[in-house]
Amino acid sequence: MEEQDIIRALGALAHDIRLRVFRALVVAGPEGLTPGRLGEALAVAPTTLSFHLKELCNAGLLLQARSGRNLIYRADYARMGALMAYLTENCCAGEPCAATPPACTNC
Amino acid sequence: MEEQDIIRALGALAHDIRLRVFRALVVAGPEGLTPGRLGEALAVAPTTLSFHLKELCNAGLLLQARSGRNLIYRADYARMGALMAYLTENCCAGEPCAATPPACTNC
DNA sequence: TCCATACTTCAATTATTGTTGAAGTGTTGG
DNA sequence: CCAACACTTCAACAATAATTGAAGTATGGA
């Protein structure tokens, strides 16, 4: 992931609606959610929501698919993981991720 | 860290100059750097740099101190750690931080 | 005290982002 | 094929962020 991608991803998450959308999709898991459900859950107007979903897609954080007359958005976990990896490596003084509460399940 | 703080921090890092500044300060360690050195290293005009340093301070990611006629900026590692913790917990499906290469040094 | 140094703040301008309602695209059931 | 549905795109506007040069503040040395 290039620096430019990192900046796009961070910028995409740096907005209240988009952060909530992304969180909702992370919680929703691999099945994802439709804009309809998202708009309902978060009380965001369709046009506004569509704009922000597009932003998140452009940043590479979301995947889009069609299912009938609905679109389905899903969080791109790999991408989010890559973002975390970059931040851990470059912005945390090389320390292991400060947030490892379920530490070392394989030990 | 409240959602609003998370958004501020993400927004602060979502800019090429600011991301480089923060990275430089992380690398510099606890001793930090002066705006003079930063501007020199990153080739940024003093006014512009000052603006971005202020943004990073306002976002809580940087600490400022005076030493003689120089100001010294340092990365706030704790704050960055809190940001990482939030993202791991809320945006990574509860999986442990995707980036744990030096894993489990205490095992 | 006065000057030079090291930055910051201010003010004006430009560029980018965010929001909204209206119009458009693709899809399904009748 | 057509009407209703689920969304997106467009266009216009409002709000916010970024850049620049000029002026201001704080510090240390002559």
Side-chain angles (χ1 to χ4, degrees):
Chain A
M1 225 171 155
E2 300 298 320
E3 183 181 298
Q4 209 52 43
D5 299 319
I6 299 296
I7 290 168
R8 278 175 163 280
L10 290 172
L13 291 175
H15 186 280
D16 59 343
I17 291 178
R18 290 195 297 261
L19 185 58
R20 278 178 207 153
V21 165
F22 189 76
R23 290 216 294 155
L25 290 174
V26 165
V27 170
E31 292 169 22
L33 287 173
T34 64
R37 285 199 175 283
L38 275 167
E40 199 176 285
L42 304 176
V44 178
T47 308
T48 302
L49 181 58
S50 189
F51 170 81
H52 290 302
L53 285 169
K54 192 178 170 189
E55 290 289 297
L56 286 162
C57 277
N58 287 341
L61 289 168
L62 256 43
L63 299 169
Q64 190 194 51
R66 183 172 278 276
S67 167
R69 71 178 72 177
N70 296 300
L71 286 173
I72 293 182
Y73 287 92
R74 279 175 286 121
D76 187 336
Y77 297 102
R79 189 80 168 189
M80 188 63 197
L83 174 60
M84 294 298 285
Y86 179 95
L87 292 177
T88 301
E89 185 136 353
N90 292 281
C91 299
C92 290
E95 290 174 26
C97 180
T100 41
C104 309
T105 49
N106 54 336
C107 299
Chain B
M1 226 171 157
E2 300 298 322
E3 183 181 296
Q4 209 52 43
D5 298 320
I6 299 295
I7 290 168
R8 277 175 165 280
L10 290 171
L13 292 174
H15 186 280
D16 59 342
I17 291 177
R18 289 195 298 259
L19 185 58
R20 278 179 206 153
V21 165
F22 190 75
R23 291 217 293 156
L25 289 173
V26 165
V27 170
E31 290 170 22
L33 287 172
T34 64
R37 286 198 174 284
L38 275 167
E40 199 175 285
L42 304 176
V44 178
T47 307
T48 301
L49 181 58
S50 189
F51 171 80
H52 290 301
L53 284 169
K54 193 179 169 188
E55 290 289 297
L56 285 163
C57 277
N58 288 341
L61 289 167
L62 255 46
L63 299 169
Q64 190 193 50
R66 184 171 277 278
S67 167
R69 69 177 74 177
N70 296 300
L71 286 173
I72 295 182
Y73 287 92
R74 281 174 285 121
D76 187 336
Y77 298 101
R79 190 80 168 188
M80 189 63 198
L83 175 59
M84 294 299 284
Y86 179 95
L87 291 177
T88 302
E89 183 135 356
N90 292 280
C91 299
C92 290
E95 290 174 27
C97 181
T100 42
C104 310
T105 49
N106 53 334
C107 298

